[in-house]
C-alpha cells in the first residue's frame, strides 16, 4: 500500500512517458499516414492520451455526480479533435 501512496521518482515518470511514446507513436504515425488521424505532433497526441488517463484518476476532485458526464465529454472532445471525418 505504501508504494501506491508514494510519489514516483522523476526518473520513473520519464521512463513511463518514454514507454508510452514508444508504444503509441507507431500507431499514431500509421493512422496519420492512412488519413484516419489529424496531422498533429505524435508526442502531443501521446500527452493528450496520458492527460485523459490522469484525469480519469481524479474522480473525487471532479465530483462523483459529474464524473461520468465529464469524462464522456472529454473523450468526445479529444476523439473529435484527433480523428479526420
Amino acid at each position: 500500500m505504501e508504494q501506491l501512496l508514494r510519489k514516483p521518482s522523476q526518473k520513473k515518470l520519464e521512463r513511463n512517458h518514454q514507454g508510452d511514446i514508444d508504444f503509441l507513436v507507431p500507431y499514431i504515425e500509421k493512422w496519420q499516414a492512412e488519413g484516419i488521424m489529424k496531422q498533429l505532433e505524435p508526442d502531443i497526441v501521446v500527452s493528450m492520451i496520458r492527460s485523459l488517463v490522469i484525469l480519469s484518476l481524479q474522480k473525487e476532485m471532479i465530483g462523483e455526480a459529474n464524473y461520468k458526464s465529464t469524462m464522456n465529454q472529454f473523450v468526445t472532445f479529444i476523439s473529435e479533435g484527433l480523428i479526420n471525418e
Side-chain angles (χ1 to χ4, degrees):
M1 182 66 158
E2 184 180 324
Q3 282 185 324
L4 293 174
L5 299 174
R6 214 175 330 146
K7 183 179 177 184
S9 70
Q10 186 63 32
K11 188 173 184 177
K12 182 171 179 127
L13 290 172
E14 289 171 8
R15 268 196 323 265
N16 289 345
H17 187 239
Q18 188 59 50
D20 292 342
I21 289 171
D22 294 343
F23 178 77
L24 291 169
V25 166
Y27 292 104
I28 293 166
E29 289 174 342
K30 178 182 184 290
W31 295 329
Q32 288 176 336
E34 293 172 353
I36 296 168
M37 185 177 276
K38 293 180 182 175
Q39 295 295 318
L40 301 169
E41 285 294 320
D43 288 355
I44 299 301
V45 176
V46 172
S47 292
M48 291 170 66
I49 294 168
R50 286 174 55 86
S51 297
L52 186 58
V53 171
I54 292 167
L55 182 63
S56 73
L57 302 173
Q58 302 301 318
K59 189 173 191 174
E60 273 185 35
M61 291 186 75
I62 294 169
E64 195 158 334
N66 294 322
Y67 178 77
K68 187 174 181 179
S69 295
T70 301
M71 291 304 300
N72 286 339
Q73 198 60 57
F74 267 105
V75 169
T76 298
F77 287 155
I78 289 175
S79 61
E80 288 176 354
L82 292 176
I83 304 301
N84 287 319
E85 301 219 10

